[in-house]
Amino acid sequence: MLDDRKAAILSAVVQEYIATAQPVGSSHIARAPGVGVSSATVRNEMAVLEQEGFLVQPHTSAGRVPTDKGYRFFVDHLGRPGQADALTTRQVGEFFSAAHGRLEEMLHHTSDLLTQLTRNAAVVVGPKAAEVPIRSAQIIRLSSTAATVVLVFANGSVDNEVIEIGDEVSDAALAAASVHLTTHLADQVLVGAGVPDTGDASTDELCRLALDVMAGHGNDDEPAYVGGVSTMAEAFDAVEVVRQVLHTLEQQFVVVSLVRDIVDRGMSVAIGVEHGVEPLSACSVVVAPVVVDGEHVGSVGVLGPTRMNYPQALATVDIVSDQLGRRLGDS
Amino acid sequence: MLDDRKAAILSAVVQEYIATAQPVGSSHIARAPGVGVSSATVRNEMAVLEQEGFLVQPHTSAGRVPTDKGYRFFVDHLGRPGQADALTTRQVGEFFSAAHGRLEEMLHHTSDLLTQLTRNAAVVVGPKAAEVPIRSAQIIRLSSTAATVVLVFANGSVDNEVIEIGDEVSDAALAAASVHLTTHLADQVLVGAGVPDTGDASTDELCRLALDVMAGHGNDDEPAYVGGVSTMAEAFDAVEVVRQVLHTLEQQFVVVSLVRDIVDRGMSVAIGVEHGVEPLSACSVVVAPVVVDGEHVGSVGVLGPTRMNYPQALATVDIVSDQLGRRLGDS
DNA sequence: CTTGGCAGTCGATGTTACCGAGTGCTAACG
DNA sequence: CGTTAGCACTCGGTAACATCGACTGCCAAG
């Protein structure tokens, strides 16, 4: 699609622009290693690259800036993902060997780690509760007319939901329902789960209610952590863009479905408008699935300006998702 | 401290500045109702108010802007909290009569409500788990060497923590420990709680471990929700300030201890530097405790630029905390 | 095909002039 | 004696204008 020289020039433009955030001119590129030609030649090539949509000039007599298409070519053909550098590898290793405690906390801290390593916003999406095997189900009385259903999942996460109960429901019925639910749900996943009738109306009613409410609520609910937004905001200078991006990122579900969508499409990078969320069109997203035993149990990603350091982001996201998968696997 | 006319002028300056965000000049004030004097007189008075530290001029030949001290006088003596307007009252009422489900979700939505009503960032701090009576304690096996301790509290919140167990621990011991813990912890609070020995070494060991880990982790952990940060950010125009504020607000614990500190000091408004968090010195915080049966179980607050609408914020925070308290009380 | 050279473009930066909102001061006024 | 009209003065903000420099596109020579 592009001959070697054009590719080298595009690569140099992308890297220079990522580093400086300034439109880059032909003479800078001519000086770059790997491009052994004069600035005039570079100018000619850049004119072609512009015509083909890889570069744009913000205005006549300014340097060139990569377009989304330019970044796309760069990540597909030029910026080999490579290994994360030694420091990153070490930091990630240390982090996960020290990680402990609740799943939610670990995911939360993972997002902080990603932010710190990439200076971008980070997203960590955990396993959908509804798809993890259940270890225990209890119905606990809160007051005469309210109780809470508590599900414990095999990965250590816990979900609960409050239900209303008639005030004639006895403690014995609650206990019976808890036992019955735990017995029949153990090692099942929530989706499509059901329990047989016991014959006792009160108990069966409780079980039905508990299942209904958990199914309804846990349905598209996956634990997600978005962090480092302010860190990333520093990369933008247009105030209006910052506001738009911030506002969008505050709506967690937008980010979560954005990440899921990209992972589902089998992509690892979505650049600018590619992800289809209009207010984030100045942003790119780099994601990686978290895999345990061949199962896709979550995703990690970073979100930053389109002029982000893709090779580094890809490498970092990869190593973090890999290590997170291992960590989740051996617990 | 200030005669009536000075107070009226200060009040007018504060209100005008809150409305326009522009330095306000003597002629605007002279035109304001309640100040029946000429601009020259207003100028003389404003010069005095400036000397006494209630106003400043950004530069010679500009209008005046209130200082923190000016705002303080305003909220203490001039801006009577008043009632929330009818629309707000209605919205809050509707919100809480529709509210249902888990405590965490309700608190989260409450922070969204506050943001929407005040156009500022909102903070909602829930009850410290460690101080709510326990309804149930269970130890559930996750794998051969890991289990999770799940505490259910009377207000419907749930907390859990993962523990390591020796792989010789039997299911029976887990069940025994669960029963023992629930029996002895029911209606107790976590702080300083203990359970008697059973005589069975394995069970006692589990109970001790569970109590230790929950006490250690739940200690200064209170559920908090910070929302509407991007909405508030629109009130600032200095980019640098926005970044600083955003970065600070991302560290939840800073906000939580800030709010707690203000509530503990018995204050309801902290203006600018009063709250002592230097990066937020361009911000004021308006808080109200949430009280159930005379017990202080949480706090709500809004955080915005020092030139925020204090009367409205106070009224809104008051009505929301009141309604939230009622809602928490009757469940 | 490449390259040095050159005219031309246009944003960024700096200068100057001007306008107007706002002040402090003073003198007149009731 | 407090209040007010009037006035000279200040100074930030805006517009008009010149300058600078980093680029480009193009052309002619290598």
Side-chain angles (χ1 to χ4, degrees):
Chain A
M1 185 162 180
L2 290 183
D3 61 63
D4 285 357
R5 197 169 65 187
K6 285 196 186 62
I9 290 174
L10 177 56
S11 175
V13 171
V14 170
Q15 294 186 57
E16 180 79 7
Y17 186 66
I18 284 173
T20 65
Q22 298 296 324
V24 0
S26 55
S27 44
H28 284 184
I29 297 304
R31 259 180 260 124
V35 184
V37 292
S38 74
S39 65
T41 308
V42 173
R43 276 200 290 284
N44 291 330
E45 297 286 46
M46 296 212 305
V48 178
L49 285 169
E50 178 164 11
Q51 271 194 325
E52 306 200 342
F54 295 98
L55 299 176
V56 275
Q57 281 181 292
H59 53 84
T60 338
S61 92
R64 265 36 181 236
V65 165
T67 60
D68 289 359
K69 185 178 174 186
Y71 289 121
R72 170 52 66 193
F73 190 90
F74 178 79
V75 310
D76 284 348
H77 302 101
L78 304 170
R80 59 218 153 291
Q83 292 300 312
D85 62 56
L87 180 63
T88 302
T89 310
R90 196 163 56 77
Q91 275 188 272
V92 174
E94 281 173 12
F95 173 84
F96 281 107
S97 61
H100 67 283
R102 296 192 299 167
L103 177 68
E104 295 101 65
E105 270 166 23
M106 196 166 71
L107 297 183
H108 197 147
H109 290 150
T110 302
S111 108
D112 291 342
L113 174 72
L114 271 172
T115 293
Q116 193 208 320
L117 292 172
T118 64
R119 314 288 307 159
N120 280 317
V123 187
V124 177
V125 182
K128 229 176 180 167
E131 292 169 358
V132 176
I134 293 168
R135 275 291 140 81
S136 156
Q138 306 274 333
I139 305 180
I140 313 281
R141 177 188 295 281
L142 297 176
S143 69
S144 56
T145 60
T148 185
V149 184
V150 179
L151 295 185
V152 179
F153 298 91
N155 62 9
S157 66
V158 172
D159 200 358
N160 77 302
E161 184 63 71
V162 176
I163 58 175
E164 301 285 325
I165 56 177
D167 57 359
E168 76 290 352
V169 174
S170 68
D171 283 353
L174 290 176
S178 296
V179 171
H180 188 62
L181 283 170
T182 299
T183 309
H184 289 90
L185 290 178
D187 299 325
Q188 310 252 336
V189 296
L190 192 54
V191 283
V195 297
D197 278 3
T198 61
D200 179 72
S202 171
T203 307
D204 288 344
E205 168 68 13
L206 279 174
C207 290
R208 200 189 47 70
L209 195 58
L211 278 176
D212 273 5
V213 77
M214 294 314 292
H217 143 264
N219 214 9
D220 48 9
D221 191 49
E222 35 207 335
Y225 301 90
V226 180
V229 175
S230 72
T231 305
M232 178 207 57
E234 292 176 20
F236 293 100
D237 37 303
V239 186
E240 204 34 60
V241 176
V242 174
R243 285 181 186 154
Q244 220 168 5
V245 171
L246 284 180
H247 190 79
T248 309
L249 293 190
E250 262 189 10
Q251 297 158 287
Q252 281 216 354
F253 74 96
V254 173
V255 187
V256 173
S257 48
L258 168 63
V259 168
R260 198 207 342 257
D261 185 48
I262 298 171
V263 172
D264 285 352
R265 284 197 276 167
M267 302 171 67
S268 56
V269 185
I271 296 165
V273 294
E274 289 177 3
H275 52 60
V277 179
E278 200 269 329
L280 298 181
S281 53
C283 296
S284 288
V285 189
V286 175
V287 297
V290 177
V291 174
V292 174
D293 299 333
E295 287 279 315
H296 170 205
V297 300
S299 315
V300 302
V302 305
L303 188 150
T306 48
R307 56 171 190 76
M308 68 191 275
N309 187 335
Y310 293 98
Q312 192 230 343
L314 278 160
T316 307
V317 163
D318 273 354
I319 190 173
V320 169
S321 74
D322 180 70
Q323 297 270 332
L324 179 58
R326 285 174 207 276
R327 188 66 184 64
L328 293 179
D330 64 29
S331 69
Chain B
M1 184 162 181
L2 290 184
D3 62 62
D4 284 357
R5 197 170 64 185
K6 285 197 187 61
I9 290 175
L10 177 56
S11 176
V13 172
V14 170
Q15 292 186 58
E16 180 77 7
Y17 186 66
I18 284 172
T20 65
Q22 298 296 325
V24 359
S26 55
S27 45
H28 283 184
I29 297 305
R31 258 178 262 124
V35 184
V37 292
S38 75
S39 64
T41 309
V42 173
R43 275 201 291 284
N44 292 331
E45 297 287 44
M46 295 214 302
V48 179
L49 286 169
E50 178 164 10
Q51 271 193 326
E52 306 200 341
F54 294 98
L55 299 176
V56 275
Q57 282 181 291
H59 52 83
T60 339
S61 91
R64 257 64 172 217
V65 166
T67 60
D68 288 0
K69 184 176 174 186
Y71 289 121
R72 169 51 66 193
F73 191 89
F74 178 79
V75 311
D76 284 349
H77 302 101
L78 305 170
R80 58 215 156 292
Q83 292 302 310
D85 62 56
L87 179 63
T88 301
T89 310
R90 197 164 55 78
Q91 275 189 274
V92 175
E94 280 173 13
F95 173 84
F96 282 107
S97 61
H100 67 283
R102 296 192 299 167
L103 177 68
E104 295 102 65
E105 271 165 23
M106 195 166 72
L107 297 183
H108 196 147
H109 291 150
T110 302
S111 108
D112 290 342
L113 174 72
L114 271 172
T115 293
Q116 193 207 319
L117 292 173
T118 64
R119 313 289 307 159
N120 280 318
V123 188
V124 177
V125 182
K128 228 177 180 166
E131 293 168 356
V132 176
I134 292 169
R135 275 289 141 81
S136 155
Q138 306 274 333
I139 304 180
I140 312 281
R141 177 188 295 283
L142 297 176
S143 69
S144 56
T145 60
T148 185
V149 184
V150 180
L151 295 186
V152 179
F153 298 91
N155 61 9
S157 68
V158 172
D159 199 359
N160 76 301
E161 185 64 72
V162 176
I163 58 174
E164 301 285 325
I165 55 178
D167 57 358
E168 76 290 351
V169 175
S170 68
D171 283 352
L174 290 176
S178 296
V179 170
H180 188 63
L181 283 170
T182 299
T183 309
H184 288 90
L185 290 178
D187 298 324
Q188 309 252 336
V189 296
L190 191 55
V191 285
V195 295
D197 278 3
T198 61
D200 178 71
S202 172
T203 306
D204 288 343
E205 168 70 10
L206 279 175
C207 289
R208 201 189 46 71
L209 194 58
L211 278 176
D212 273 5
V213 77
M214 293 314 293
H217 143 264
N219 215 9
D220 47 10
D221 190 49
E222 36 207 335
Y225 301 89
V226 181
V229 175
S230 71
T231 304
M232 178 207 56
E234 292 176 20
F236 294 100
D237 38 305
V239 186
E240 203 34 60
V241 176
V242 174
R243 285 183 185 151
Q244 221 169 4
V245 172
L246 284 180
H247 190 79
T248 309
L249 293 190
E250 260 188 12
Q251 297 158 286
Q252 282 217 353
F253 73 96
V254 174
V255 186
V256 173
S257 47
L258 168 63
V259 168
R260 196 202 348 252
D261 184 48
I262 298 171
V263 172
D264 285 351
R265 284 196 276 165
M267 303 172 66
S268 57
V269 184
I271 297 166
V273 294
E274 289 178 2
H275 52 59
V277 180
E278 199 269 329
L280 298 183
S281 53
C283 296
S284 288
V285 189
V286 175
V287 298
V290 177
V291 174
V292 174
D293 299 334
E295 286 279 315
H296 171 204
V297 299
S299 316
V300 301
V302 305
L303 188 151
T306 48
R307 55 171 190 75
M308 70 190 271
N309 187 335
Y310 293 98
Q312 192 230 343
L314 278 161
T316 308
V317 162
D318 272 354
I319 189 174
V320 168
S321 74
D322 180 69
Q323 297 271 331
L324 179 58
R326 286 173 205 278
R327 187 68 183 66
L328 293 179
D330 65 29
S331 70

